[in-house]
């Protein structure tokens, strides 16, 4: 045996041990899905082939805003291999879907499979061609003749908000699809009387989630039973099932939505899409299987985008550095439609909801408007609003520290909600249950030896180097329960999840959930939770997820909820099954229940070698009649729903170290540290991986990623040559420090953590870049900060123009 | 993103390939590594009637020492150039530049013939061919001829190749062993197209610059030689002032584009910075070699 394979065996033995030892929650168990996913044996929607399957290609709008005058499909219908060509007219029996909300000042736009009468962004699907192959379908697209009457372009959100603007949705009477205001105290008066005021017009540019797997939908249809199964690369199969039931007038019993292996989501797969409605409709209409796989161009043109906000904000402090007031006016560019089910409200409102962040600020006034423009709808994207709110507040903190001549860490520690001050209600009304603000910041600083790092910076500066250090602190709400809506006023329940655990007659354990993994390792972490509370072994527990038929009601994975909610439900159900195991074993082994222990997949009598494996036990319960009295026999199953009611929070401090080349303005990240509290860790290795991925996306937001629409409403970043995301070479080593302050409000003390990396990193990087160029008198108010924008800021400051503006003028 | 329909022909010799090109009457396209062509087909930016595959033609991939020249076959993959000892010894500047060509997966497939024929103004090999005074051997049904690199690049993605032409060999005249060199590039991410790049080869005679060539890319419609700047420095004593004058001449000579990633002003700034760095390195190397 070679040394490498000896090591491998040793490593797998070690993993085996971890996977079977009693304390399973908290162990870095290797991801059980990885052997499948990493060797190309995953089964994504596009891997699935149904007999007689047809393929869809969409003709998408090349106009930003236009009336559809006529569509001539005759030539396309005759093209080689084409089976059908559908327009909105053909879909009249399909009901439009509306993302309704109880919120005032909100307009819900209709969502349909294909554009009806009018197109509202470049890339909106107008005609669906269905052919024997995708190649033939795309060839036929060129034969479609669509006449448009162009309308005034609605592309700048500030212009679009004006009454004089052309309207995307005439029925709404305005492009302002939503507005909201939060007020605590008297921010205006406090600002007027404050010793120190810092302010800026902050710009966070539009991003797209760019999951590795593009969106893919396959609808299979059984005409004899009128049964439709949609395989979808979705984070929310339960939500899609319910929405399609309304759209197609089909009962849930005939409609099943399955998300198999899903290759990344980041929020971009958490909404209902027109293409999903279309594929389901077409399969039912044609009576056969229909598949659509997005290509990258379509993904960049039509998957929900995010983070597109303009924030005018001002922070006021007293002379000692105590923050007294925060005021913000936010415009969110929400794109052309209010996305289902989250509404156009979700992201812009989260910006004003989270702006006060981890700080005690007595007076707060935040106003927000969500404005429709001719761009794809914005939807949830990892972090949702909080990357922007954290960027703004954390930049203001650094600007204030600079003005006061204080260290930015010291200023933060002074203003943070202290450990003994929880629960704490911030100015927007959010209540932090128990957050580790100061603990995280202190831990991040300790990890880098902060005083020493500042000394290194002083040396570097003296040598003419541009060296910067940036921190960012935040909290987010995670694992929220039924009393808080993920999006304000949204009528669907996002506060519960259900687990169905069964030991079958072979002794095998199946745990079924309505949540969905998009790569975050739920098959492992949920198995760990089940194993711990059931007394099973991780490797023996088959986790089923992403299937709307698995449980009566579920939504899916979004808003950092699955570990808390599905983990909670798993705990409740596993405990009940374990009680049933003990009761059955008590009969079989003729032992008092308190003398039995269940672990490693068997139940044993304490202090003896008498034991039953799950297999032996299950055979006795299900097959060997008479061993347990008939009236005492119980199925070894449990279905439990968990509702954390209010839910919890998660906290982190991010610290970035950058060096900028003073000649070329290239920005290099030297180091990145995250100190985070996601409560009790289920699997530290998986948490690290989630943090790394989130930080990489946050670095993208800070330095690289920007969806750009030109004045004609054309997306000029329609390929990955122009929409650039960080690769491994652009991401520095990331240290993760775990605080592990258990949540007091959730079962098991878990907190959600999947989004956090993306929330802190943009602000930390922005602060580090700003710190590096501080000697030049430059502020960073716009992300991403590219070498080009830095060049312009520096040129402007040399010419004594406005040094805060990175736009080309 | 599926290509429009096309015919496919796998040529087994150069003659068959150029015959197929001729038969296609200007609608044919040669496919080698496919690293630029396939995306353009999938975007339906190109609609050739036929793809002529040259991957099965024997003996089109080579790097050979031929006395005064190094001869490179058109089907030679970037990765072969990058790892060739002969290239590293004869043209260290090319060896260095190859590491900047896209990503490893692309370098494994992409070819020198494809890169030169495609003529992206921000690609390394067209600029290198210009810097190294490459002679490009071209063959068509009418016969074989040589095009100097300086006459080859006519515009962005436009070359002196005629419809029936196939690039069949690249010949690089050898440099003196003492020749100093440098390659400098700035891109948004590692492996991206250059925002600006400067390469220099330089011979020195004591404190004097006896010969210099400066190549640039990403700052115009084609890769460029900084001819005026070369003239300023040739025969001059190397000095800070001479370098400054050279850099000024370079910045004045370029007319870069503004695009999403960099403005013309920033590119002009960059090309000067990179020229300064490249000149210093090349000078240093040439002095060290001649000591």
């Amino acid at each position: 045996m070679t040394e490498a394979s000896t090591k491998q065996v040793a490593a797998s033995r070690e993993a085996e041990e971890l996977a079977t030892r009693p304390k399973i929650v908290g162990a870095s168990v290797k991801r059980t899905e990885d052997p499948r996913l990493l060797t190309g044996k995953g089964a994504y929607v596009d891997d699935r082939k149904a007999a007689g399957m047809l393929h869809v290609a969409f003709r998408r709008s090349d106009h930003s805003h236009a009336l559809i005058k006529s569509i001539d499909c005759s030539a396309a219908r005759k093209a080689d291999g084409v089976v059908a060509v559908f327009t909105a007219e053909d879909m009249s029996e399909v009901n439009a879907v509306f993302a309704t909300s109880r919120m005032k000042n909100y307009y819900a736009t209709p969502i349909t499979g294909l554009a009806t009468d009018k197109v509202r962004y470049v890339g909106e699907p107008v005609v669906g061609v269905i052919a024997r192959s995708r190649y033939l379908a795309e060839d036929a697209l060129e034969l479609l003749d669509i006449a448009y009457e162009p309308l005034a372009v609605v592309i700048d959100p500030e212009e679009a908000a004006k009454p004089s603007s052309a309207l995307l949705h005439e029925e709404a009477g305005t492009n302002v699809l939503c507005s909201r205001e939060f007020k605590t105290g008297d921010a205006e008066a406090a600002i007027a009387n404050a010793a120190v005021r810092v302010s800026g017009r902050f710009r966070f540019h539009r991003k797209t989630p760019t999951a590795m797997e593009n969106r893919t939908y396959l609808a299979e249809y059984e005409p004899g039973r009128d049964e439709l199964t949609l395989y979808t690369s979705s984070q929310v199969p339960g939500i899609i099932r319910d929405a399609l039931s309304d759209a197609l007038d089909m009962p849930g019993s005939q409609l099943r939505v399955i998300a198999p292996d899903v290759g990344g989501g980041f929020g971009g797969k958490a909404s209902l899409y027109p293409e999903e409605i279309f594929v389901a409709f077409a399969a039912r209409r044609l009576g056969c299987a229909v598949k659509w796989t997005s290509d990258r161009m379509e993904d960049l043109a039509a998957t929900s985008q995010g983070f597109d906000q303009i924030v005018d904000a001002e922070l006021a402090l007293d002379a000692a550095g105590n923050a007294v007031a925060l005021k913000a006016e936010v415009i969110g560019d929400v794109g052309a439609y209010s996305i289902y089910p989250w509404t156009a409200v979700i992201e812009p409102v989260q910006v004003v909801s989270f702006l006060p962040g981890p700080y005690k600020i007595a007076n707060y006034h935040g106003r927000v408007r969500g404005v429709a423009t001719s761009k794809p709808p914005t939807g949830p994207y990892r972090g949702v609003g909080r990357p922007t709110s954290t960027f703004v507040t954390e930049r203001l903190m650094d600007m204030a520290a600079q003005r006061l001549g204080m260290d930015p860490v010291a200023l933060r520690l002074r203003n943070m909600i202290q450990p003994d001050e929880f629960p704490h209600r911030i100015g927007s009304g959010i209540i932090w249950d128990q957050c580790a603000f100061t603990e995280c910041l202190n831990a991040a600083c300790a990890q880098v030896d902060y005083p020493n790092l500042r000394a290194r910076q002083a040396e570097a500066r003296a040598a003419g180097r541009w060296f910067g250090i940036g921190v960012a602190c935040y909290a987010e709400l995670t694992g929220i329960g039924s009393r808080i809506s993920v999006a304000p006023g949204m009528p669907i329940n996002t506060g519960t999840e259900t687990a169905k655990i069964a030991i079958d007659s072979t002794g095998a354990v199946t745990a079924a959930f309505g949540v969905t993994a998009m790569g975050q390792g739920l098959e492992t972490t949920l198995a760990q939770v089940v194993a711990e509370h059931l007394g099973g072994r991780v490797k023996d527990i088959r986790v089923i997820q992403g299937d709307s038929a698995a449980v009566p009601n579920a939504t899916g994975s979004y808003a950092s909820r699955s570990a808390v909610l599905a983990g909670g439900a798993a705990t409740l159900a596993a405990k009940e099954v374990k009680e049933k195991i003990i009761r059955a074993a008590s009969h079989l082994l003729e032992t008092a229940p308190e003398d039995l222990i269940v672990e490693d997949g068997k139940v044993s009598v304490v202090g003896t070698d008498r034991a039953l494996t799950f297999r032996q036990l299950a055979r006795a319960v299900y097959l060997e009649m008479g061993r347990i009295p008939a009236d005492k026999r119980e199925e070894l199953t449990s279905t439990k729903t968990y509702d954390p009611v209010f839910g919890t929070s998660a906290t982190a401090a991010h610290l970035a170290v950058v060096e900028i080349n003073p000649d070329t303005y290239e920005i290099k990240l030297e180091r990145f540290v995250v100190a985070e509290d996601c409560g009790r860790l289920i699997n530290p290795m998986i948490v690290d991986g989630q943090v790394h991925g989130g930080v990489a996306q946050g670095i993208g937001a800070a330095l690289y990623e920007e969806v750009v629409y030109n004045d004609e409403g054309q997306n000029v970043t329609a390929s990955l040559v122009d929409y650039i995301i960080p690769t491994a070479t652009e991401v520095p080593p990331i240290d993760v420090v775990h605080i592990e302050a258990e949540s007091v409000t959730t079962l098991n003390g878990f907190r959600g953590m999947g989004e956090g990396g993306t929330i802190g990193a943009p602000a930390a990087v922005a602060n580090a870049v700003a710190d590096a160029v501080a000697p030049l008198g430059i502020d960073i108010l716009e992300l991403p900060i590219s070498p080009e924008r830095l060049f312009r800021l520096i040129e402007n400051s040399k010419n004594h123009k406005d040094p805060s503006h990175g736009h080309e003028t | 993103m599926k290509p429009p329909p096309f015919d496919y022909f796998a040529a087994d010799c150069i003659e068959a390939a150029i015959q197929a090109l001729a038969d296609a009457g200007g609608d044919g396209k040669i496919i080698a590594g496919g690293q630029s062509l396939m995306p353009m087909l999938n975007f339906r930016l190109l609609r050739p009637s036929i793809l002529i595959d040259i991957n099965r033609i024997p003996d089109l991939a080579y790097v050979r020492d031929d006395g005064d020249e190094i001869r490179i076959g058109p089907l030679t993959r970037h990765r072969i150039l990058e790892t060739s000892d002969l290239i590293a010894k004869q043209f260290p500047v090319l060896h260095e530049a190859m590491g900047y060509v896209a990503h490893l997966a692309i370098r494994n497939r992409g070819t020198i013939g494809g890169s030169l024929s495609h003529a992206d103004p921000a690609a390394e090999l067209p600029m290198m061919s210009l810097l190294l005074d490459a002679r490009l051997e071209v063959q068509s049904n009418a016969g074989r001829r040589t095009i100097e690199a300086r006459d080859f690049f006519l515009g962005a993605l436009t070359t002196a190749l005629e419809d029936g032409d196939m690039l069949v060999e690249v010949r690089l005249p050898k440099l003196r062993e003492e020749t100093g060199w440098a390659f400098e590039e700035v891109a948004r991410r590692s492996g991206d197209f250059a925002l600006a790049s400067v390469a220099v080869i330089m011979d020195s005679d004591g404190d004097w610059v006896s010969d210099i060539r400066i190549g640039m890319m990403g700052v115009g419609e084609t890769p460029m030689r900084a001819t005026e700047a070369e003239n300023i420095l040739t025969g001059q004593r190397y000095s800070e002032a001479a370098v400054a004058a050279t850099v000024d001449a370079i910045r004045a000579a370029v007319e870069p584009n503004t695009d999403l990633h960099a403005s013309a002003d920033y590119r002009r700034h960059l090309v000067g910075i990179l020229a300064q760095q490249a000149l210093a390195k090349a000078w240093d190397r040439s002095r060290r070699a001649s000591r």
Side-chain angles (χ1 to χ4, degrees):
Chain A
M1 200 184 268
T2 64
E3 195 188 290
S5 63
T6 314
K7 265 190 194 152
Q8 231 167 27
V9 168
S12 78
R13 235 180 250 143
E14 191 182 32
E16 175 118 326
E17 246 175 58
L18 282 172
T20 55
R21 71 179 208 196
K23 278 294 154 204
I24 303 163
V25 166
S28 287
V29 175
K30 279 191 185 169
R31 290 168 34 120
T32 51
E33 52 270 77
D34 277 356
R36 176 177 90 243
L37 298 177
L38 298 180
T39 57
K41 296 191 182 93
Y44 299 87
V45 177
D46 194 51
D47 292 318
R48 198 176 169 90
K49 288 168 184 66
M53 182 173 79
L54 300 174
H55 299 264
V56 183
F58 289 102
R59 175 75 177 264
R60 294 172 180 276
S61 172
D62 38 21
H63 284 263
S64 180
H65 186 202
L67 293 175
I68 302 169
K69 301 307 283 182
S70 66
I71 303 176
D72 182 354
C73 305
S74 50
R77 286 201 171 101
K78 285 180 224 145
D80 184 26
V82 170
V83 174
V85 179
F86 294 127
T87 67
E89 219 169 278
D90 302 300
M91 295 182 72
S92 56
E93 82 233 35
V94 179
N95 301 315
V97 178
F98 292 87
T100 56
S101 168
R102 291 184 295 270
M103 208 180 110
K104 283 180 211 152
N105 305 319
Y106 164 70
Y107 177 79
T109 62
I111 297 165
T112 57
L114 296 169
T116 313
D117 304 331
K118 191 173 169 178
V119 290
R120 296 181 176 87
Y121 65 92
V122 172
E124 184 171 3
V126 181
V127 183
V129 171
I130 297 160
R132 281 190 286 102
S133 82
R134 176 66 176 257
Y135 291 84
L136 295 170
E138 288 197 19
D139 289 347
L141 291 184
E142 300 185 339
L143 303 174
L144 294 165
D145 189 7
I146 307 176
Y148 291 103
E149 181 185 319
L151 298 169
V153 169
V154 183
I155 217 70
D156 179 303
E158 288 182 287
E159 289 300 316
K162 292 177 182 167
S164 57
S165 172
L167 296 179
L168 283 179
H169 299 274
E170 286 80 6
E171 320 77 50
T174 172
N175 289 321
V176 181
L177 294 186
C178 58
S179 56
R180 198 153 185 198
E181 192 165 1
F182 294 103
K183 219 169 174 176
T184 295
D186 187 344
E188 283 74 9
I191 288 170
N193 298 321
V196 175
R197 289 188 287 267
V198 286
S199 65
R201 183 176 175 76
F202 297 89
R203 187 72 174 95
F204 208 110
H205 285 287
R206 184 172 275 249
K207 316 276 185 254
T208 179
T210 46
M212 199 181 287
E213 179 208 22
N214 288 326
R215 290 186 291 119
T216 305
Y217 309 127
L218 165 64
E220 295 183 8
Y221 184 68
E222 270 198 60
R225 297 172 187 271
D226 188 25
E227 277 182 7
L228 188 86
T229 302
L230 178 72
Y231 293 87
T232 168
S233 56
S234 179
Q235 300 172 229
V236 289
I239 288 174
I240 304 303
R241 196 268 310 267
D242 293 0
L244 288 180
S245 170
D246 288 342
L248 303 174
D249 274 329
M250 288 179 85
S253 54
Q254 284 159 246
L255 188 56
R256 185 173 173 191
V257 176
I258 298 174
D261 285 329
V262 177
F266 316 118
K269 293 173 181 168
S271 304
L272 173 74
Y273 280 92
E275 296 93 342
E276 256 166 333
I277 300 173
F278 181 88
V279 166
F281 149 80
R284 200 177 186 205
R285 170 70 70 90
L286 298 173
C288 66
V290 172
K291 181 197 271 181
W292 172 73
T293 302
S294 170
D295 57 40
R296 185 57 68 184
M297 203 159 51
E298 291 181 294
D299 182 64
L300 292 168
T303 290
S304 70
Q305 302 177 344
F307 300 171
D308 193 348
Q309 288 101 22
I310 304 164
V311 184
D312 283 296
E314 186 166 21
L315 175 70
L317 305 94
D318 67 18
N322 299 305
V324 294
L326 176 64
K327 188 184 166 187
E329 172 82 40
V330 178
I331 291 183
D333 179 341
V334 301
Y337 294 93
S338 182
I339 204 158
Y340 185 88
W342 313 109
T343 78
V345 177
I346 182 168
E347 183 159 45
V349 169
Q350 294 230 131
V351 176
V352 277
S353 297
F354 286 85
L355 267 170
Y359 305 111
K360 289 177 283 186
I361 307 173
N363 302 287
Y364 177 60
H365 187 188
R367 265 178 21 115
V368 61
R369 284 174 295 165
V371 184
T373 62
S374 302
K375 297 169 198 164
T378 56
Y381 176 20
R382 202 174 194 171
V384 194
R386 290 158 299 203
T388 304
S389 66
T390 304
F391 165 59
V392 171
T393 303
E394 291 301 85
R395 282 274 45 240
L396 287 169
M397 275 287 158
D398 267 23
M399 289 157 78
Q402 198 183 17
R403 187 76 62 79
L404 287 155
M406 278 179 79
D407 179 86
V409 170
L411 180 69
R412 282 176 172 79
L413 289 172
R414 164 185 285 265
N415 282 287
M416 274 175 171
I417 303 155
Q418 302 297 309
D420 57 356
E421 293 174 334
F422 294 99
H424 180 96
R425 183 184 181 281
I426 58 172
S428 59
I430 287 174
I431 296 167
W432 297 133
D433 58 342
Q434 180 75 42
C435 296
F437 294 134
T438 55
E439 297 92 324
C440 284
L441 182 52
N442 284 325
C445 289
Q447 183 72 8
V448 296
D449 189 356
Y450 184 71
N452 183 44
L453 189 62
R454 284 288 176 199
R456 263 184 63 205
Q457 177 184 36
E459 277 169 35
R461 275 194 178 152
R465 287 159 57 200
W466 297 4
F467 185 96
I469 304 161
V471 295
C473 307
Y474 66 87
E476 52 174 329
L477 291 179
T478 69
I480 60 185
S482 60
R483 291 288 292 278
I484 302 178
S485 190
V486 161
M490 195 177 62
I492 69 167
N493 168 32
T494 52
T496 59
E497 275 301 332
T498 302
K500 196 165 93 185
I501 300 179
I503 299 182
D504 64 26
S505 51
T506 70
V509 184
T510 303
F513 299 88
V515 295
T516 309
M518 304 81 76
Q520 67 271 57
L522 285 175
E523 273 178 56
T524 306
T525 47
L526 290 176
Q528 283 180 263
V529 174
V530 172
E532 168 113 356
H533 294 287
L534 183 68
R537 296 185 298 186
V538 170
K539 63 174 186 175
D540 294 338
I541 291 157
R542 164 90 166 97
V543 171
I544 290 177
Q545 50 179 347
D547 183 347
S548 73
V551 291
N553 171 58
T555 49
S557 293
Y558 52 88
S560 298
R561 70 194 291 274
S562 295
V564 177
L565 274 80
T571 303
L572 297 173
K575 281 181 171 169
E576 188 175 60
V577 175
K578 185 177 176 180
E579 286 164 11
K580 291 181 175 181
I581 290 171
I582 288 179
R583 282 199 290 271
S586 164
H587 283 288
L588 296 166
L589 296 169
E590 295 173 337
T591 306
E594 51 274 21
D595 293 333
L596 292 171
I597 52 164
V598 187
E599 63 181 31
D600 282 350
K602 56 183 193 293
V603 52
S604 18
V605 181
V606 181
T608 73
D609 57 359
R610 291 171 60 216
L612 289 170
T613 63
F614 282 5
R615 187 181 172 83
Q616 290 165 329
L617 180 94
R619 287 187 67 85
V621 168
Y622 292 113
L623 307 176
E624 296 163 4
M625 293 301 98
R627 290 194 62 188
I628 298 176
D631 60 337
K632 302 284 190 215
R633 273 185 67 237
E634 296 177 283
E635 287 206 327
L636 303 173
T637 63
S638 172
T639 300
K640 289 284 179 191
T641 297
Y642 176 57
D643 176 0
V645 191
F646 286 102
T648 185
S649 54
T651 312
H654 288 208
L655 191 151
V657 181
V658 306
E659 181 145 11
I660 299 171
N661 182 319
D663 296 317
T664 62
Y665 311 134
E666 289 167 286
I667 300 163
K668 187 166 170 36
L669 271 164
E670 298 287 343
R671 192 170 180 194
F672 206 97
V673 174
V674 175
E676 63 84 43
D677 169 28
C678 67
R680 187 169 172 217
L681 298 171
I682 300 174
N683 184 325
M685 186 174 65
I686 283 182
V687 171
D688 285 353
Q690 288 267 54
V691 171
H692 292 168
V695 167
Q697 265 176 325
I699 289 169
L703 298 177
Y704 300 102
E705 299 184 37
E706 179 175 356
V707 178
V708 182
Y709 279 83
N710 68 13
D711 294 341
E712 284 81 49
Q714 297 291 336
N715 182 348
V716 294
T717 45
S719 84
L720 293 181
V721 170
D722 290 317
Y723 186 82
I724 56 173
I725 58 177
T727 66
T729 42
E730 281 74 45
V731 178
I734 300 166
D735 296 354
V736 185
V737 184
H738 302 293
I739 300 295
E740 216 169 351
E742 291 188 15
S743 169
V744 292
T745 53
T746 65
L747 202 54
N748 296 315
F750 300 154
R751 303 171 185 271
M753 54 71 54
E755 296 172 271
T758 316
I759 298 174
V765 173
N767 277 339
V769 171
D771 188 41
V773 296
L776 308 176
I778 292 169
D779 262 331
I780 303 298
L781 304 179
E782 185 178 15
L783 292 183
I785 181 73
S786 58
E788 165 67 31
R789 284 209 168 101
L790 209 49
F791 167 75
R792 203 148 293 285
L793 288 169
I794 291 164
E795 290 296 299
N796 285 352
S797 81
K798 275 188 202 157
N799 303 331
H800 305 291
K801 288 185 205 154
D802 177 4
S804 65
H805 243 56
H807 300 292
E808 191 170 358
T809 43
Chain B
M1 290 183 76
K2 302 290 183 202
F6 55 81
D7 288 332
Y8 172 85
F9 171 65
D12 56 6
C13 62
I14 290 175
E15 289 67 28
I18 58 179
Q19 185 58 51
L21 265 184
D23 292 345
D27 273 347
K29 203 77 188 154
I30 290 175
I31 181 159
Q35 298 302 294
S36 300
L37 181 57
M38 283 313 299
M40 292 177 84
L41 288 174
N42 286 341
F43 278 116
R44 299 198 175 211
L45 294 171
L46 285 177
R47 296 170 172 274
S49 59
I50 182 167
L51 282 192
I52 299 150
D53 189 341
I54 61 168
N55 284 285
R56 293 178 208 183
I57 300 178
D59 202 29
L60 275 191
Y62 53 84
V63 180
R64 277 180 205 144
D65 193 333
D66 191 25
D68 295 342
E69 292 178 329
I70 298 292
R71 291 164 49 197
I72 304 173
L75 202 59
T76 308
R77 313 283 165 184
H78 302 327
R79 182 67 176 159
I80 298 297
L81 289 181
E82 185 187 357
T83 53
S84 157
D85 291 339
L86 195 52
I87 296 292
K89 180 165 174 290
Q90 295 294 337
F91 306 105
V93 67
L94 175 56
H95 171 74
E96 172 122 340
M98 290 315 294
Y100 287 82
V101 177
H103 307 277
L104 186 55
I106 292 175
R107 295 201 291 274
N108 279 335
R109 289 297 300 162
T111 65
I112 186 168
S115 178
L116 296 179
S117 303
H118 182 61
D120 192 298
E124 286 78 8
L125 276 167
M127 185 246 233
M128 279 293 131
S129 71
L130 209 54
L131 180 81
L132 298 173
D133 288 337
R135 295 178 191 124
L136 309 178
E137 294 295 311
V138 169
Q139 195 172 331
S140 71
N141 268 351
R144 195 165 159 139
R145 66 191 195 281
T146 305
I147 307 176
E148 299 291 332
R150 65 172 170 275
D151 301 322
F152 189 75
F153 301 102
L154 306 180
L157 312 185
T158 312
T159 67
L161 288 174
E162 308 273 347
D163 282 346
D165 285 343
M166 171 177 163
L167 179 59
V168 293
E169 188 169 73
V170 179
R171 288 158 44 206
L172 298 178
K174 285 184 181 171
L175 301 173
R176 295 171 54 224
E177 222 171 287
E178 304 78 29
T179 300
W181 59 275
F183 179 86
E184 298 291 324
E185 177 174 317
V186 169
R188 282 302 301 279
R189 300 170 302 178
S190 65
D192 279 349
F193 281 113
L195 299 182
S197 174
V198 175
V200 170
I201 51 181
M202 190 194 283
D203 287 312
S204 60
D205 183 3
D207 291 341
W208 301 76
V209 177
S210 54
D211 193 15
I212 181 162
R213 291 185 236 164
I214 305 171
M216 307 180 292
M217 66 170 178
V219 288
E221 289 296 306
T222 61
M224 296 156 76
R225 282 279 289 274
T227 322
E228 264 180 68
E230 288 175 2
N231 290 340
I232 289 176
L233 214 51
T234 308
Q236 290 294 310
R237 184 188 286 274
Y238 186 88
S239 67
E240 259 181 50
V243 168
T246 312
V247 167
D248 286 348
I250 285 173
R251 283 197 171 127
V254 296
E255 287 179 14
N257 288 324
T258 291
D259 67 17
L260 280 172
H261 301 302
S263 63
D265 290 347
Y266 175 51
R267 285 195 155 95
R268 187 174 284 115
H269 166 82
L270 269 184
V271 78
I273 294 286
L274 297 178
Q276 219 169 340
Q277 292 170 355
L279 287 168
K281 275 190 195 168
W283 172 251
D284 193 45
R285 282 180 174 132
S286 105
R287 297 268 294 184
R288 228 181 283 166
S290 49
R291 239 173 246 151

